[in-house]
Amino acid sequence: MIEAVHVGGAGTPLVLLHGATSSWRAWRPVLPALERRHRVLAPNLAGHHGGPAVTGPPEQVVPAIVDAVATAMDDAGVGTAHLVGNSLGGWVALELARRGRARSVVALSPAGAWVEPADLDRLLRLFRAGGRLGRVPGARVVLGVRPLRRLLLRQVAEHPELLTRFDVDDLVDDLAGCEVLADLLAGASRAGALRPFTPDCPVLIAWGERDRMLPFARYGRPMLDAVHGAQLVRVPGVGHVPMGDAPRLVSSLVLRFTARADRAARAAAVPGPVSGAGRPA
């Protein structure tokens, strides 16, 4: 039975938000490094394997997932946190920032932005195909064969050969356990893309240079247009889910950004000199 949420480490709070059809286990390659500097909260998103149920119409799925993460933060006593999200988790992190729950955001190839209907249709087809993989008999055996694994997972990973047998088992279980995918995809065209906004915290959008699922030219540029003031970095040598492709690189990128945000917050909290202080009345 998968845990509904992972908690570990010490320091300023950091919330990790996985992508569609995944679970918090996608973050395991970067957890040791992140937990040395942060108290990490990594929940399973609502409607996903081990996560809370989602109710309501399809066009309300993303807001319901955001609500569930906000509740998990409340239950953990976390008012605001550094938010790190991948794909759907990146979209959720940005929506939480809109609600004022973020100290900073690192969005790794975030979903939620497109311009042309054809771009949305393409994405929906890819996710439907991926969701079916979890229901294919013998999927574990097929993905255990390295050439087949590389072929089937090339949309999400640049280095699927790094996956262990246990990683493959988790991937298939998470695909099969994602109950919200059909509603999530059905609601996308009705709900529309992420609405433009200006976050009140620093935001870093980090896009894998080898991302075949969400190529930057089609999905990254509209995201930058929607999130006003966000910084951009292109991450070399990684695909759509970069934590498994290059865990040291990703953890270093996150920690540099959160450290900078923490330093800025501490500096802003230090009171400056009071004009006229010490003068006799």
Side-chain angles (χ1 to χ4, degrees):
M1 188 69 171
I2 185 175
E3 297 174 275
V5 60
H6 169 84
V7 179
T12 51
L14 184 150
V15 176
L16 300 176
L17 303 169
H18 62 79
T21 74
S22 188
S23 73
W24 71 261
R25 297 183 292 199
W27 298 102
R28 285 190 299 200
V30 297
L31 284 177
L34 298 183
E35 290 180 348
R36 284 194 286 270
R37 294 262 296 276
H38 294 286
R39 178 194 176 204
V40 171
L41 176 72
N44 288 330
L45 298 184
H48 289 71
H49 189 198
V54 172
T55 58
E59 60 269 24
Q60 290 299 312
V61 166
V62 173
I65 292 173
V66 178
D67 289 342
V69 175
T71 298
M73 292 173 66
D74 292 341
D75 291 345
V78 176
T80 61
H82 300 292
L83 306 177
V84 181
N86 173 226
S87 194
L88 172 63
W91 187 355
V92 172
L94 292 167
E95 294 294 353
L96 286 164
R98 192 195 303 272
R99 299 185 184 189
R101 301 300 299 263
R103 301 182 183 205
S104 71
V105 174
V106 176
L108 303 167
S109 291
W114 60 87
V115 175
E116 301 297 333
D119 291 333
L120 176 59
D121 290 342
R122 171 190 173 274
L123 191 58
L124 299 184
R125 288 196 302 272
L126 289 173
F127 271 106
R128 288 190 183 102
R132 286 194 292 269
L133 180 61
R135 299 190 296 274
V136 172
R140 287 176 174 79
V141 176
V142 171
L143 289 173
V145 179
R146 182 173 292 189
L148 294 177
R149 182 163 72 239
R150 180 156 187 81
L151 176 66
L152 292 171
L153 300 182
R154 69 187 301 272
Q155 294 289 343
V156 295
E158 180 64 15
H159 297 293
E161 70 276 5
L162 298 178
L163 295 174
T164 68
R165 178 172 61 84
F166 299 106
D167 294 331
V168 169
D169 287 345
D170 290 346
L171 184 151
V172 174
D173 286 344
D174 290 343
L175 282 168
C178 181
E179 299 176 349
V180 79
L181 183 62
D183 281 350
L184 178 65
L185 300 181
S189 56
R190 300 183 214 170
L194 180 144
R195 291 180 294 107
F197 76 115
T198 302
D200 62 0
C201 68
V203 173
L204 178 66
I205 294 177
W207 219 279
E209 289 186 347
R210 305 288 180 87
D211 191 335
R212 298 180 182 90
M213 176 69 81
L214 297 182
F216 178 77
R218 298 178 74 167
Y219 303 96
R221 294 196 183 281
M223 181 61 71
L224 288 175
D225 291 339
V227 186
H228 304 155
Q231 301 175 50
L232 169 69
V233 63
R234 300 298 306 278
V235 187
V238 302
H240 184 60
V241 183
M243 302 87 74
D245 282 337
R248 291 179 63 183
L249 177 61
V250 171
S251 58
S252 176
L253 181 150
V254 169
L255 290 173
R256 287 198 305 270
F257 197 71
T258 60
R260 189 157 63 244
D262 281 339
R263 286 195 299 269
R266 287 193 297 268
V270 175
V274 179
S275 178
R279 294 179 182 175

